[in-house]
Amino acid sequence: MMGPAHALSGAAAWLGVGAAAAAWGEPMPWPVLLAGALICAGAALAPDLDHKAATISRAFGPVSKWICEIVDKLSYAVYKSTRKPGDPRRSGGHRTLTHTWVWALLIGAGSAAIATLGDRWGVLFILFVHMVLAIEGLLWRATRGSSADVLVWLLAATSSWIIAGILDRPGNGSAWLFEGPDQEYLWLGLPIVLGALVHCLGDALTVSGCPVLWPIPIGRRRWYPLGPPKPMRFRAGAWVEIRVLMPGFMLTGGVAAAFALGYL
């Protein structure tokens, strides 16, 4: 799928988690619901860091382009070293390592560690990175062109500072779910894992499928492109994505948010 659909699916997924938590009698504080939805929207773009033309590879200027090249080479190296006889030869690393459950767990655990060990600046870093991606994904028409990058970074930095300040207030969610000593903001890893997995599921709906189960072998392949039957798949950016899935994500996300906040 394309960036906007990925971002919307990520936000809808976290709002769905919020609705489920409310149904189980453990509602999220509204700042956790808001911050988690935005983080998950940004995290749903992150697996495409292995693609030079992806939103995330352009989001942070030369820095993200440089990281993109490294991740692409790393992904390709992992693919070559772990492929089975049934896996085809390829020349790049797109839709390999970063599109797996292993990567999702690693990136989520790493982000949670940064948030807990880095104190306020670690939290701000996690928020800023994902706010930039969320803005780029959800407001993609307004952020086209390199001239908009600085404005996006300023908006992301400002919103991250405000959200972090709100979360730090007692009862607003810094210790949501994990209440032990030094476990504040440990939950920030959850929307990041969820966003990465939602991205993989979205890509699995497309023609190429997604090897989300790696390294679990399926038949003669370790990088099996998981997906529905081929007649049910579509090309990225096709009408079904724009006219069916994106409105569906907005509708389900809105309903889930209303339920999570107690309006339904």
Side-chain angles (χ1 to χ4, degrees), residues 89-161:
R89 296 185 180 276
R90 54 186 305 157
S91 58
H94 180 49
R95 284 203 188 183
T96 54
L97 179 61
T98 63
H99 288 66
T100 66
W101 65 272
V102 175
W103 178 270
L105 291 182
L106 288 175
I107 203 71
S111 298
I114 291 173
T116 54
L117 299 177
D119 295 324
R120 182 174 177 81
W121 290 109
V123 173
L124 286 171
F125 173 75
I126 296 299
L127 285 172
F128 173 73
V129 169
H130 291 88
M131 289 303 111
V132 169
L133 296 177
I135 293 168
E136 292 275 6
L138 297 173
L139 303 178
W140 63 280
R141 290 185 183 276
T143 58
R144 286 179 174 177
S146 58
S147 60
D149 286 345
V150 175
L151 294 177
V152 170
W153 298 337
L154 288 174
L155 178 58
T158 302
S159 60
S160 298
W161 188 271

Side-chain angles (χ1 to χ4, degrees), residues 182-205:
D182 300 322
Q183 291 185 350
E184 292 86 358
Y185 292 110
L186 189 61
W187 63 268
L188 284 180
L190 298 178
I192 294 172
V193 173
L194 180 61
L197 292 177
V198 168
H199 178 107
C200 293
L201 293 177
D203 278 354
L205 297 175

